[in-house]
Amino acid sequence: MAAPSDKTLADLAGKWKLNKSLSADVAAILALQGTSILIRKAIGSASVTLTISQPHSDEYRIAQTATAASIPGTTEQYILDGEWRTNKDAFFGEVKGRSQWTSLDDAKAKVEGQIDGSRWEASDDGKLILAEGGSTDGKWEAFRIWGFEEIGGERRYTQTVKVWNKEGEQVNGKMVYDFVG
């Protein structure tokens, strides 16, 4: 389902389901990040949902669940202040990350041509959200740009992703979400 017009980057609270038919192959992204084939296959067959809450205007908590047996859910916190933080993730182990508002031009540079500015809807001040991070051991790094895009004639919440590893391999993709409440 398309994102309602009242849902913006300033108010993402709600449930968002990954639309697999409009999204990139998540398994390829997870493989580059070192997850096991069993986890990749399970996630590939699962329905993935984000439950987003916003305790403060620049803080997002995202609880990610998958409807497949034995896949643990994860909860991630994003504070849009540009400060690096570390935590232990169920899939990736020790990770580091930071989040901040970014301009459309900076977002385009981070994800190398995956963003067509004519289809993107930024915040009122022309910004998108940049979440960057990686494994603390340096095995992989990633950029994710959050925003709204017109896809197939409908307004959708998306996360455009670039992941690369220390061997120089890179995977780009886009996750497209349906608003479910």
Side-chain angles (χ1 to χ4, degrees):
M1 178 169 134
S5 60
D6 66 335
K7 287 298 165 190
T8 66
L9 290 177
D11 178 16
L12 284 173
K15 288 191 177 193
W16 303 86
K17 183 178 176 184
L18 182 67
N19 183 318
K20 290 186 179 183
S21 67
L22 297 175
S23 296
D25 178 14
V26 176
I29 295 168
L30 293 171
L32 197 65
Q33 293 173 303
T35 59
S36 75
I37 186 73
L38 293 174
I39 293 292
R40 294 192 309 265
K41 285 185 180 264
I43 289 175
S45 65
S47 174
V48 176
T49 302
L50 306 179
T51 302
I52 302 176
S53 62
Q54 288 182 249
H56 305 287
S57 62
D58 280 348
E59 180 180 355
Y60 301 78
R61 289 194 182 137
I62 301 178
Q64 184 169 285
T65 56
T67 58
S70 72
I71 297 179
T74 62
T75 299
E76 299 172 333
Q77 181 179 24
Y78 298 88
I79 300 173
L80 306 183
D81 62 3
E83 296 292 323
W84 286 99
R85 293 174 176 79
T86 60
N87 72 304
K88 185 163 178 92
D89 185 271
F91 294 118
F92 307 119
E94 292 292 327
V95 294
K96 62 181 179 180
R98 69 178 177 176
S99 305
Q100 58 198 356
W101 293 102
T102 191
S103 70
L104 181 60
D105 287 340
D106 286 344
K108 286 180 182 180
K110 297 280 188 199
V111 293
E112 300 171 356
Q114 292 186 75
I115 293 179
D116 172 4
S118 66
R119 298 182 330 171
W120 278 80
E121 175 188 316
S123 66
D124 289 342
D125 61 356
K127 302 284 186 177
L128 300 170
I129 295 174
L130 166 65
E132 60 183 304
S135 62
T136 56
D137 61 9
K139 289 184 178 177
W140 62 269
E141 294 185 56
F143 290 129
R144 284 189 295 165
I145 305 297
W146 305 0
F148 289 88
E149 292 181 72
E150 183 179 316
I151 297 177
E154 294 186 309
R155 182 177 179 267
R156 302 282 184 158
Y157 169 58
T158 65
Q159 293 184 6
T160 301
V161 181
K162 172 185 168 185
V163 179
W164 66 97
N165 64 19
K166 63 183 180 182
E167 287 80 31
E169 300 169 303
Q170 179 177 313
V171 176
N172 297 328
K174 184 181 304 285
M175 271 75 81
V176 180
Y177 294 91
D178 295 331
F179 183 74
V180 293

